[in-house]
Amino acid sequence: MRNHAIAALFCVLNSATCQAGNIPDRPAIILWAWEMPEDLRFLNTSGTGVAFLASSFLLRGDQVRSRPRLQPVLLNPGVSLLSVVRIECDRRQAPVLSSAQRARLATLILKTVAATRTPGLQIDFDARVSERPFYRALLFDLRRKLGTGRFLSITALPSWCNRGSWLAELPVDEIVPMLFRIGGERRAVITRLERYGSFEEPRCQASIGVSTDEPHPPLPNRAHTYIFHPKPWTKADVESAIGKGIR
């Protein structure tokens, strides 16, 4: 499926594409809608936003392999929306991480943004130390091409949010540390949060990411909470997540 067909998969109600809400004024709760069919028409237009996986990219050798979302997301018009792209590196055939490969990836990401017609973009990339210069340069490329009028967010591993973080000077509007699927890092993260009450890197303090299927430590104060759910969302799931104190 070509990237220009992506928009037809989302938000199609009464033969009209949903209009995205104002990202800077987005709600306190944002649901991640990953690669599964989602019917979120039970959401109102002000209480909860949606960040949906729009495309995935695999870096392999000198190639960039893209996979657009193939599952529908149904929403009411006016719900605050954020497009998410996932980037992975092939561990059997390591990417070259060249400037040409970066330019190709940036072009494909920008095509996704144009096709989904949302006012914001979030990038999910668990970049290793050796991959961070490439990632940093990619973010600066995207910032220049997106302009300052479009919201740019990234997810982050909790270890990236310690004092002296490499994140400090990135040209992004939001950094979302994820408190789930972090394996052996979990105990250290909980200890640091209990000690300091928040992440040490100031740019990691406004938003946070959690999952409904993993217990989380006492959450620091934040303006926005992203919630992952391993199954398609229901109204009861959302109410249960908020009722458990995720807000």
Side-chain angles (χ1 to χ4, degrees):
M1 182 180 296
R2 295 182 181 274
N3 280 343
H4 63 68
I6 296 174
L9 295 172
F10 313 121
C11 313
V12 181
L13 301 173
N14 301 320
S15 301
T17 301
C18 290
Q19 297 300 309
N22 186 351
I23 288 293
D25 297 325
R26 66 200 190 286
I29 298 292
I30 300 111
L31 307 181
W32 271 310
W34 225 240
E35 185 62 74
M36 61 189 82
E38 294 280 9
D39 186 347
L40 297 169
R41 287 174 288 186
F42 59 84
L43 295 177
N44 63 44
T45 59
S46 60
T48 307
V50 176
F52 60 90
L53 180 67
S55 291
S56 299
F57 301 100
L58 177 67
L59 306 180
R60 172 183 293 169
D62 62 356
Q63 300 176 357
V64 180
R65 299 195 174 186
S66 63
R67 183 178 185 273
R69 184 186 186 95
L70 301 176
Q71 304 291 346
V73 179
L74 300 180
L75 296 158
N76 290 318
V79 172
S80 178
L81 296 178
L82 188 65
S83 299
V84 183
V85 298
R86 169 71 180 168
I87 302 172
E88 296 183 358
C89 292
D90 193 309
R91 299 308 175 195
R92 292 176 297 178
Q93 186 177 350
V96 297
L97 303 179
S98 64
S99 58
Q101 188 173 39
R102 189 180 79 239
R104 175 61 176 159
L105 177 58
T107 296
L108 291 172
I109 291 174
L110 291 168
K111 286 184 177 180
T112 297
V113 173
T116 55
R117 290 179 277 180
T118 59
L121 168 68
Q122 184 177 83
I123 300 180
D124 182 35
F125 182 19
D126 300 337
R128 295 182 174 183
V129 173
S130 60
E131 297 158 356
R132 291 177 194 170
F134 174 92
Y135 190 20
R136 182 181 184 278
L138 173 68
L139 291 171
F140 273 94
D141 289 345
L142 291 173
R143 177 81 286 168
R144 284 193 296 270
K145 294 176 181 180
L146 289 170
T148 57
R150 196 179 294 269
F151 187 82
L152 181 58
S153 168
I154 64 169
T155 63
L157 299 177
S159 59
W160 296 358
C161 294
N162 295 337
R163 191 179 305 277
S165 171
W166 69 283
L167 303 174
E169 297 182 358
L170 293 182
V172 299
D173 302 299
E174 177 186 59
I175 296 172
V176 185
M178 297 179 293
L179 289 178
F180 64 101
R181 310 293 193 269
I182 54 177
E185 188 179 349
R186 182 174 180 79
R187 184 64 258 171
V189 170
I190 292 174
T191 298
R192 296 184 78 88
L193 284 176
E194 290 176 343
R195 178 182 302 171
Y196 298 108
S198 185
F199 291 101
E200 297 165 86
E201 168 54 49
R203 300 195 67 193
C204 293
Q205 295 174 2
S207 301
I208 205 164
V210 297
S211 177
T212 60
D213 66 343
E214 287 189 22
H216 55 78
L219 298 178
N221 292 330
R222 70 278 179 203
H224 304 285
T225 303
Y226 288 79
I227 311 176
F228 175 81
H229 190 56
K231 299 178 181 180
W233 283 102
T234 66
K235 184 177 180 180
D237 293 329
V238 176
E239 291 174 347
S240 175
I242 295 174
K244 290 178 180 177
I246 285 181
R247 182 182 293 277

mmCIF file with all atom_site columns, all heavy atoms in Angstrom, residues 110 137-153 170-174:
data_model
loop_
_atom_site.group_PDB
_atom_site.id
_atom_site.type_symbol
_atom_site.label_atom_id
_atom_site.label_alt_id
_atom_site.label_comp_id
_atom_site.label_asym_id
_atom_site.label_entity_id
_atom_site.label_seq_id
_atom_site.pdbx_PDB_ins_code
_atom_site.Cartn_x
_atom_site.Cartn_y
_atom_site.Cartn_z
_atom_site.occupancy
_atom_site.B_iso_or_equiv
_atom_site.pdbx_formal_charge
_atom_site.auth_seq_id
_atom_site.auth_comp_id
_atom_site.auth_asym_id
_atom_site.auth_atom_id
_atom_site.pdbx_PDB_model_num
ATOM 1   N N   . LEU A 1 110 ? 7.986  12.475 6.388  1.00 0.00 ? 110 LEU A N   1
ATOM 2   C CA  . LEU A 1 110 ? 7.230  13.664 5.999  1.00 0.00 ? 110 LEU A CA  1
ATOM 3   C C   . LEU A 1 110 ? 6.041  13.296 5.109  1.00 0.00 ? 110 LEU A C   1
ATOM 4   O O   . LEU A 1 110 ? 4.973  13.922 5.187  1.00 0.00 ? 110 LEU A O   1
ATOM 5   C CB  . LEU A 1 110 ? 8.145  14.655 5.296  1.00 0.00 ? 110 LEU A CB  1
ATOM 6   C CG  . LEU A 1 110 ? 9.203  15.305 6.198  1.00 0.00 ? 110 LEU A CG  1
ATOM 7   C CD1 . LEU A 1 110 ? 10.234 16.043 5.362  1.00 0.00 ? 110 LEU A CD1 1
ATOM 8   C CD2 . LEU A 1 110 ? 8.565  16.240 7.209  1.00 0.00 ? 110 LEU A CD2 1
ATOM 9   N N   . ALA A 1 137 ? 20.579 13.976 14.188 1.00 0.00 ? 137 ALA A N   1
ATOM 10  C CA  . ALA A 1 137 ? 20.591 14.677 12.908 1.00 0.00 ? 137 ALA A CA  1
ATOM 11  C C   . ALA A 1 137 ? 19.239 14.561 12.209 1.00 0.00 ? 137 ALA A C   1
ATOM 12  O O   . ALA A 1 137 ? 18.766 15.517 11.585 1.00 0.00 ? 137 ALA A O   1
ATOM 13  C CB  . ALA A 1 137 ? 21.706 14.120 12.018 1.00 0.00 ? 137 ALA A CB  1
ATOM 14  N N   . LEU A 1 138 ? 18.597 13.396 12.317 1.00 0.00 ? 138 LEU A N   1
ATOM 15  C CA  . LEU A 1 138 ? 17.269 13.213 11.725 1.00 0.00 ? 138 LEU A CA  1
ATOM 16  C C   . LEU A 1 138 ? 16.267 14.190 12.332 1.00 0.00 ? 138 LEU A C   1
ATOM 17  O O   . LEU A 1 138 ? 15.463 14.803 11.613 1.00 0.00 ? 138 LEU A O   1
ATOM 18  C CB  . LEU A 1 138 ? 16.799 11.774 11.940 1.00 0.00 ? 138 LEU A CB  1
ATOM 19  C CG  . LEU A 1 138 ? 15.358 11.476 11.515 1.00 0.00 ? 138 LEU A CG  1
ATOM 20  C CD1 . LEU A 1 138 ? 15.220 11.557 10.002 1.00 0.00 ? 138 LEU A CD1 1
ATOM 21  C CD2 . LEU A 1 138 ? 14.931 10.094 12.038 1.00 0.00 ? 138 LEU A CD2 1
ATOM 22  N N   . LEU A 1 139 ? 16.297 14.340 13.640 1.00 0.00 ? 139 LEU A N   1
ATOM 23  C CA  . LEU A 1 139 ? 15.369 15.249 14.311 1.00 0.00 ? 139 LEU A CA  1
ATOM 24  C C   . LEU A 1 139 ? 15.594 16.700 13.878 1.00 0.00 ? 139 LEU A C   1
ATOM 25  O O   . LEU A 1 139 ? 14.631 17.454 13.691 1.00 0.00 ? 139 LEU A O   1
ATOM 26  C CB  . LEU A 1 139 ? 15.492 15.109 15.822 1.00 0.00 ? 139 LEU A CB  1
ATOM 27  C CG  . LEU A 1 139 ? 14.995 13.778 16.396 1.00 0.00 ? 139 LEU A CG  1
ATOM 28  C CD1 . LEU A 1 139 ? 15.365 13.666 17.874 1.00 0.00 ? 139 LEU A CD1 1
ATOM 29  C CD2 . LEU A 1 139 ? 13.486 13.640 16.208 1.00 0.00 ? 139 LEU A CD2 1
ATOM 30  N N   . PHE A 1 140 ? 16.843 17.089 13.719 1.00 0.00 ? 140 PHE A N   1
ATOM 31  C CA  . PHE A 1 140 ? 17.110 18.450 13.235 1.00 0.00 ? 140 PHE A CA  1
ATOM 32  C C   . PHE A 1 140 ? 16.617 18.607 11.788 1.00 0.00 ? 140 PHE A C   1
ATOM 33  O O   . PHE A 1 140 ? 16.066 19.659 11.428 1.00 0.00 ? 140 PHE A O   1
ATOM 34  C CB  . PHE A 1 140 ? 18.600 18.781 13.337 1.00 0.00 ? 140 PHE A CB  1
ATOM 35  C CG  . PHE A 1 140 ? 18.991 19.335 14.677 1.00 0.00 ? 140 PHE A CG  1
ATOM 36  C CD1 . PHE A 1 140 ? 19.467 18.499 15.679 1.00 0.00 ? 140 PHE A CD1 1
ATOM 37  C CD2 . PHE A 1 140 ? 18.871 20.692 14.959 1.00 0.00 ? 140 PHE A CD2 1
ATOM 38  C CE1 . PHE A 1 140 ? 19.813 19.002 16.929 1.00 0.00 ? 140 PHE A CE1 1
ATOM 39  C CE2 . PHE A 1 140 ? 19.227 21.204 16.192 1.00 0.00 ? 140 PHE A CE2 1
ATOM 40  C CZ  . PHE A 1 140 ? 19.693 20.354 17.183 1.00 0.00 ? 140 PHE A CZ  1
ATOM 41  N N   . ASP A 1 141 ? 16.785 17.573 10.964 1.00 0.00 ? 141 ASP A N   1
ATOM 42  C CA  . ASP A 1 141 ? 16.269 17.622 9.596  1.00 0.00 ? 141 ASP A CA  1
ATOM 43  C C   . ASP A 1 141 ? 14.751 17.795 9.599  1.00 0.00 ? 141 ASP A C   1
ATOM 44  O O   . ASP A 1 141 ? 14.201 18.624 8.863  1.00 0.00 ? 141 ASP A O   1
ATOM 45  C CB  . ASP A 1 141 ? 16.617 16.333 8.848  1.00 0.00 ? 141 ASP A CB  1
ATOM 46  C CG  . ASP A 1 141 ? 18.100 16.214 8.524  1.00 0.00 ? 141 ASP A CG  1
ATOM 47  O OD1 . ASP A 1 141 ? 18.812 17.233 8.620  1.00 0.00 ? 141 ASP A OD1 1
ATOM 48  O OD2 . ASP A 1 141 ? 18.533 15.096 8.187  1.00 0.00 ? 141 ASP A OD2 1
ATOM 49  N N   . LEU A 1 142 ? 14.077 16.989 10.418 1.00 0.00 ? 142 LEU A N   1
ATOM 50  C CA  . LEU A 1 142 ? 12.618 17.041 10.469 1.00 0.00 ? 142 LEU A CA  1
ATOM 51  C C   . LEU A 1 142 ? 12.123 18.377 11.004 1.00 0.00 ? 142 LEU A C   1
ATOM 52  O O   . LEU A 1 142 ? 11.149 18.940 10.504 1.00 0.00 ? 142 LEU A O   1
ATOM 53  C CB  . LEU A 1 142 ? 12.084 15.894 11.325 1.00 0.00 ? 142 LEU A CB  1
ATOM 54  C CG  . LEU A 1 142 ? 12.248 14.491 10.738 1.00 0.00 ? 142 LEU A CG  1
ATOM 55  C CD1 . LEU A 1 142 ? 11.843 13.441 11.764 1.00 0.00 ? 142 LEU A CD1 1
ATOM 56  C CD2 . LEU A 1 142 ? 11.417 14.334 9.465  1.00 0.00 ? 142 LEU A CD2 1
ATOM 57  N N   . ARG A 1 143 ? 12.814 18.898 12.017 1.00 0.00 ? 143 ARG A N   1
ATOM 58  C CA  . ARG A 1 143 ? 12.406 20.183 12.579 1.00 0.00 ? 143 ARG A CA  1
ATOM 59  C C   . ARG A 1 143 ? 12.470 21.283 11.521 1.00 0.00 ? 143 ARG A C   1
ATOM 60  O O   . ARG A 1 143 ? 11.568 22.120 11.419 1.00 0.00 ? 143 ARG A O   1
ATOM 61  C CB  . ARG A 1 143 ? 13.305 20.524 13.770 1.00 0.00 ? 143 ARG A CB  1
ATOM 62  C CG  . ARG A 1 143 ? 13.052 21.880 14.426 1.00 0.00 ? 143 ARG A CG  1
ATOM 63  C CD  . ARG A 1 143 ? 11.892 21.848 15.394 1.00 0.00 ? 143 ARG A CD  1
ATOM 64  N NE  . ARG A 1 143 ? 10.576 21.790 14.773 1.00 0.00 ? 143 ARG A NE  1
ATOM 65  C CZ  . ARG A 1 143 ? 9.464  21.529 15.456 1.00 0.00 ? 143 ARG A CZ  1
ATOM 66  N NH1 . ARG A 1 143 ? 9.491  21.294 16.749 1.00 0.00 ? 143 ARG A NH1 1
ATOM 67  N NH2 . ARG A 1 143 ? 8.303  21.487 14.823 1.00 0.00 ? 143 ARG A NH2 1
ATOM 68  N N   . ARG A 1 144 ? 13.528 21.282 10.732 1.00 0.00 ? 144 ARG A N   1
ATOM 69  C CA  . ARG A 1 144 ? 13.664 22.299 9.688  1.00 0.00 ? 144 ARG A CA  1
ATOM 70  C C   . ARG A 1 144 ? 12.554 22.172 8.651  1.00 0.00 ? 144 ARG A C   1
ATOM 71  O O   . ARG A 1 144 ? 11.995 23.180 8.203  1.00 0.00 ? 144 ARG A O   1
ATOM 72  C CB  . ARG A 1 144 ? 15.033 22.175 9.001  1.00 0.00 ? 144 ARG A CB  1
ATOM 73  C CG  . ARG A 1 144 ? 16.202 22.724 9.810  1.00 0.00 ? 144 ARG A CG  1
ATOM 74  C CD  . ARG A 1 144 ? 17.447 22.845 8.954  1.00 0.00 ? 144 ARG A CD  1
ATOM 75  N NE  . ARG A 1 144 ? 17.908 21.542 8.501  1.00 0.00 ? 144 ARG A NE  1
ATOM 76  C CZ  . ARG A 1 144 ? 18.773 20.779 9.165  1.00 0.00 ? 144 ARG A CZ  1
ATOM 77  N NH1 . ARG A 1 144 ? 19.259 21.195 10.323 1.00 0.00 ? 144 ARG A NH1 1
ATOM 78  N NH2 . ARG A 1 144 ? 19.161 19.630 8.694  1.00 0.00 ? 144 ARG A NH2 1
ATOM 79  N N   . LYS A 1 145 ? 12.225 20.944 8.285  1.00 0.00 ? 145 LYS A N   1
ATOM 80  C CA  . LYS A 1 145 ? 11.250 20.733 7.217  1.00 0.00 ? 145 LYS A CA  1
ATOM 81  C C   . LYS A 1 145 ? 9.810  20.844 7.703  1.00 0.00 ? 145 LYS A C   1
ATOM 82  O O   . LYS A 1 145 ? 8.921  21.237 6.942  1.00 0.00 ? 145 LYS A O   1
ATOM 83  C CB  . LYS A 1 145 ? 11.507 19.375 6.561  1.00 0.00 ? 145 LYS A CB  1
ATOM 84  C CG  . LYS A 1 145 ? 12.841 19.344 5.823  1.00 0.00 ? 145 LYS A CG  1
ATOM 85  C CD  . LYS A 1 145 ? 13.157 17.988 5.239  1.00 0.00 ? 145 LYS A CD  1
ATOM 86  C CE  . LYS A 1 145 ? 14.497 17.994 4.538  1.00 0.00 ? 145 LYS A CE  1
ATOM 87  N NZ  . LYS A 1 145 ? 14.843 16.674 3.960  1.00 0.00 ? 145 LYS A NZ  1
ATOM 88  N N   . LEU A 1 146 ? 9.568  20.500 8.967  1.00 0.00 ? 146 LEU A N   1
ATOM 89  C CA  . LEU A 1 146 ? 8.224  20.635 9.519  1.00 0.00 ? 146 LEU A CA  1
ATOM 90  C C   . LEU A 1 146 ? 7.902  22.076 9.877  1.00 0.00 ? 146 LEU A C   1
ATOM 91  O O   . LEU A 1 146 ? 6.747  22.483 9.890  1.00 0.00 ? 146 LEU A O   1
ATOM 92  C CB  . LEU A 1 146 ? 8.078  19.766 10.771 1.00 0.00 ? 146 LEU A CB  1
ATOM 93  C CG  . LEU A 1 146 ? 8.028  18.256 10.573 1.00 0.00 ? 146 LEU A CG  1
ATOM 94  C CD1 . LEU A 1 146 ? 8.124  17.550 11.918 1.00 0.00 ? 146 LEU A CD1 1
ATOM 95  C CD2 . LEU A 1 146 ? 6.751  17.847 9.852  1.00 0.00 ? 146 LEU A CD2 1
ATOM 96  N N   . GLY A 1 147 ? 8.937  22.848 10.202 1.00 0.00 ? 147 GLY A N   1
ATOM 97  C CA  . GLY A 1 147 ? 8.728  24.205 10.665 1.00 0.00 ? 147 GLY A CA  1
ATOM 98  C C   . GLY A 1 147 ? 8.329  24.230 12.130 1.00 0.00 ? 147 GLY A C   1
ATOM 99  O O   . GLY A 1 147 ? 8.097  23.192 12.756 1.00 0.00 ? 147 GLY A O   1
ATOM 100 N N   . THR A 1 148 ? 8.231  25.406 12.674 1.00 0.00 ? 148 THR A N   1
ATOM 101 C CA  . THR A 1 148 ? 7.923  25.528 14.103 1.00 0.00 ? 148 THR A CA  1
ATOM 102 C C   . THR A 1 148 ? 6.432  25.414 14.386 1.00 0.00 ? 148 THR A C   1
ATOM 103 O O   . THR A 1 148 ? 6.025  25.313 15.543 1.00 0.00 ? 148 THR A O   1
ATOM 104 C CB  . THR A 1 148 ? 8.424  26.884 14.632 1.00 0.00 ? 148 THR A CB  1
ATOM 105 O OG1 . THR A 1 148 ? 7.830  27.941 13.860 1.00 0.00 ? 148 THR A OG1 1
ATOM 106 C CG2 . THR A 1 148 ? 9.937  26.980 14.530 1.00 0.00 ? 148 THR A CG2 1
ATOM 107 N N   . GLY A 1 149 ? 5.612  25.415 13.339 1.00 0.00 ? 149 GLY A N   1
ATOM 108 C CA  . GLY A 1 149 ? 4.168  25.365 13.550 1.00 0.00 ? 149 GLY A CA  1
ATOM 109 C C   . GLY A 1 149 ? 3.618  23.975 13.770 1.00 0.00 ? 149 GLY A C   1
ATOM 110 O O   . GLY A 1 149 ? 2.449  23.822 14.114 1.00 0.00 ? 149 GLY A O   1
ATOM 111 N N   . ARG A 1 150 ? 4.436  22.932 13.579 1.00 0.00 ? 150 ARG A N   1
ATOM 112 C CA  . ARG A 1 150 ? 3.966  21.569 13.763 1.00 0.00 ? 150 ARG A CA  1
ATOM 113 C C   . ARG A 1 150 ? 4.638  20.944 14.986 1.00 0.00 ? 150 ARG A C   1
ATOM 114 O O   . ARG A 1 150 ? 5.838  21.031 15.162 1.00 0.00 ? 150 ARG A O   1
ATOM 115 C CB  . ARG A 1 150 ? 4.235  20.711 12.525 1.00 0.00 ? 150 ARG A CB  1
ATOM 116 C CG  . ARG A 1 150 ? 3.430  19.409 12.517 1.00 0.00 ? 150 ARG A CG  1
ATOM 117 C CD  . ARG A 1 150 ? 3.701  18.609 11.264 1.00 0.00 ? 150 ARG A CD  1
ATOM 118 N NE  . ARG A 1 150 ? 3.228  19.253 10.047 1.00 0.00 ? 150 ARG A NE  1
ATOM 119 C CZ  . ARG A 1 150 ? 2.021  19.065 9.523  1.00 0.00 ? 150 ARG A CZ  1
ATOM 120 N NH1 . ARG A 1 150 ? 1.162  18.273 10.131 1.00 0.00 ? 150 ARG A NH1 1
ATOM 121 N NH2 . ARG A 1 150 ? 1.679  19.671 8.411  1.00 0.00 ? 150 ARG A NH2 1
ATOM 122 N N   . PHE A 1 151 ? 3.841  20.332 15.822 1.00 0.00 ? 151 PHE A N   1
ATOM 123 C CA  . PHE A 1 151 ? 4.297  19.753 17.086 1.00 0.00 ? 151 PHE A CA  1
ATOM 124 C C   . PHE A 1 151 ? 5.156  18.527 16.811 1.00 0.00 ? 151 PHE A C   1
ATOM 125 O O   . PHE A 1 151 ? 4.786  17.661 16.022 1.00 0.00 ? 151 PHE A O   1
ATOM 126 C CB  . PHE A 1 151 ? 3.068  19.380 17.918 1.00 0.00 ? 151 PHE A CB  1
ATOM 127 C CG  . PHE A 1 151 ? 3.364  18.914 19.310 1.00 0.00 ? 151 PHE A CG  1
ATOM 128 C CD1 . PHE A 1 151 ? 3.597  19.828 20.327 1.00 0.00 ? 151 PHE A CD1 1
ATOM 129 C CD2 . PHE A 1 151 ? 3.370  17.565 19.623 1.00 0.00 ? 151 PHE A CD2 1
ATOM 130 C CE1 . PHE A 1 151 ? 3.841  19.401 21.616 1.00 0.00 ? 151 PHE A CE1 1
ATOM 131 C CE2 . PHE A 1 151 ? 3.616  17.129 20.909 1.00 0.00 ? 151 PHE A CE2 1
ATOM 132 C CZ  . PHE A 1 151 ? 3.847  18.044 21.906 1.00 0.00 ? 151 PHE A CZ  1
ATOM 133 N N   . LEU A 1 152 ? 6.315  18.436 17.489 1.00 0.00 ? 152 LEU A N   1
ATOM 134 C CA  . LEU A 1 152 ? 7.228  17.305 17.318 1.00 0.00 ? 152 LEU A CA  1
ATOM 135 C C   . LEU A 1 152 ? 7.539  16.697 18.678 1.00 0.00 ? 152 LEU A C   1
ATOM 136 O O   . LEU A 1 152 ? 8.058  17.363 19.570 1.00 0.00 ? 152 LEU A O   1
ATOM 137 C CB  . LEU A 1 152 ? 8.520  17.763 16.633 1.00 0.00 ? 152 LEU A CB  1
ATOM 138 C CG  . LEU A 1 152 ? 9.580  16.689 16.365 1.00 0.00 ? 152 LEU A CG  1
ATOM 139 C CD1 . LEU A 1 152 ? 9.013  15.558 15.508 1.00 0.00 ? 152 LEU A CD1 1
ATOM 140 C CD2 . LEU A 1 152 ? 10.804 17.307 15.692 1.00 0.00 ? 152 LEU A CD2 1
ATOM 141 N N   . SER A 1 153 ? 7.208  15.421 18.827 1.00 0.00 ? 153 SER A N   1
ATOM 142 C CA  . SER A 1 153 ? 7.366  14.697 20.087 1.00 0.00 ? 153 SER A CA  1
ATOM 143 C C   . SER A 1 153 ? 8.224  13.457 19.851 1.00 0.00 ? 153 SER A C   1
ATOM 144 O O   . SER A 1 153 ? 8.259  12.915 18.748 1.00 0.00 ? 153 SER A O   1
ATOM 145 C CB  . SER A 1 153 ? 5.973  14.283 20.598 1.00 0.00 ? 153 SER A CB  1
ATOM 146 O OG  . SER A 1 153 ? 6.058  13.347 21.664 1.00 0.00 ? 153 SER A OG  1
ATOM 147 N N   . LEU A 1 170 ? 17.862 18.617 21.961 1.00 0.00 ? 170 LEU A N   1
ATOM 148 C CA  . LEU A 1 170 ? 17.142 18.166 20.781 1.00 0.00 ? 170 LEU A CA  1
ATOM 149 C C   . LEU A 1 170 ? 16.040 19.163 20.406 1.00 0.00 ? 170 LEU A C   1
ATOM 150 O O   . LEU A 1 170 ? 15.381 19.720 21.281 1.00 0.00 ? 170 LEU A O   1
ATOM 151 C CB  . LEU A 1 170 ? 16.533 16.784 21.029 1.00 0.00 ? 170 LEU A CB  1
ATOM 152 C CG  . LEU A 1 170 ? 17.518 15.617 21.206 1.00 0.00 ? 170 LEU A CG  1
ATOM 153 C CD1 . LEU A 1 170 ? 16.751 14.321 21.381 1.00 0.00 ? 170 LEU A CD1 1
ATOM 154 C CD2 . LEU A 1 170 ? 18.478 15.522 20.019 1.00 0.00 ? 170 LEU A CD2 1
ATOM 155 N N   . PRO A 1 171 ? 15.793 19.356 19.110 1.00 0.00 ? 171 PRO A N   1
ATOM 156 C CA  . PRO A 1 171 ? 14.807 20.351 18.652 1.00 0.00 ? 171 PRO A CA  1
ATOM 157 C C   . PRO A 1 171 ? 13.386 19.790 18.639 1.00 0.00 ? 171 PRO A C   1
ATOM 158 O O   . PRO A 1 171 ? 12.700 19.795 17.618 1.00 0.00 ? 171 PRO A O   1
ATOM 159 C CB  . PRO A 1 171 ? 15.291 20.663 17.237 1.00 0.00 ? 171 PRO A CB  1
ATOM 160 C CG  . PRO A 1 171 ? 15.826 19.343 16.755 1.00 0.00 ? 171 PRO A CG  1
ATOM 161 C CD  . PRO A 1 171 ? 16.483 18.723 17.972 1.00 0.00 ? 171 PRO A CD  1
ATOM 162 N N   . VAL A 1 172 ? 12.925 19.318 19.801 1.00 0.00 ? 172 VAL A N   1
ATOM 163 C CA  . VAL A 1 172 ? 11.594 18.720 19.886 1.00 0.00 ? 172 VAL A CA  1
ATOM 164 C C   . VAL A 1 172 ? 10.763 19.484 20.910 1.00 0.00 ? 172 VAL A C   1
ATOM 165 O O   . VAL A 1 172 ? 11.292 20.161 21.791 1.00 0.00 ? 172 VAL A O   1
ATOM 166 C CB  . VAL A 1 172 ? 11.667 17.225 20.256 1.00 0.00 ? 172 VAL A CB  1
ATOM 167 C CG1 . VAL A 1 172 ? 12.428 16.449 19.195 1.00 0.00 ? 172 VAL A CG1 1
ATOM 168 C CG2 . VAL A 1 172 ? 12.303 17.019 21.626 1.00 0.00 ? 172 VAL A CG2 1
ATOM 169 N N   . ASP A 1 173 ? 9.440  19.344 20.800 1.00 0.00 ? 173 ASP A N   1
ATOM 170 C CA  . ASP A 1 173 ? 8.523  20.033 21.704 1.00 0.00 ? 173 ASP A CA  1
ATOM 171 C C   . ASP A 1 173 ? 8.163  19.203 22.930 1.00 0.00 ? 173 ASP A C   1
ATOM 172 O O   . ASP A 1 173 ? 7.697  19.755 23.929 1.00 0.00 ? 173 ASP A O   1
ATOM 173 C CB  . ASP A 1 173 ? 7.234  20.391 20.959 1.00 0.00 ? 173 ASP A CB  1
ATOM 174 C CG  . ASP A 1 173 ? 7.505  21.269 19.755 1.00 0.00 ? 173 ASP A CG  1
ATOM 175 O OD1 . ASP A 1 173 ? 8.038  22.375 19.946 1.00 0.00 ? 173 ASP A OD1 1
ATOM 176 O OD2 . ASP A 1 173 ? 7.203  20.847 18.626 1.00 0.00 ? 173 ASP A OD2 1
ATOM 177 N N   . GLU A 1 174 ? 8.387  17.888 22.842 1.00 0.00 ? 174 GLU A N   1
ATOM 178 C CA  . GLU A 1 174 ? 7.983  17.020 23.934 1.00 0.00 ? 174 GLU A CA  1
ATOM 179 C C   . GLU A 1 174 ? 8.858  15.774 23.951 1.00 0.00 ? 174 GLU A C   1
ATOM 180 O O   . GLU A 1 174 ? 9.210  15.228 22.899 1.00 0.00 ? 174 GLU A O   1
ATOM 181 C CB  . GLU A 1 174 ? 6.514  16.612 23.768 1.00 0.00 ? 174 GLU A CB  1
ATOM 182 C CG  . GLU A 1 174 ? 6.021  15.632 24.836 1.00 0.00 ? 174 GLU A CG  1
ATOM 183 C CD  . GLU A 1 174 ? 4.621  15.137 24.547 1.00 0.00 ? 174 GLU A CD  1
ATOM 184 O OE1 . GLU A 1 174 ? 4.408  14.538 23.472 1.00 0.00 ? 174 GLU A OE1 1
ATOM 185 O OE2 . GLU A 1 174 ? 3.735  15.350 25.402 1.00 0.00 ? 174 GLU A OE2 1
#
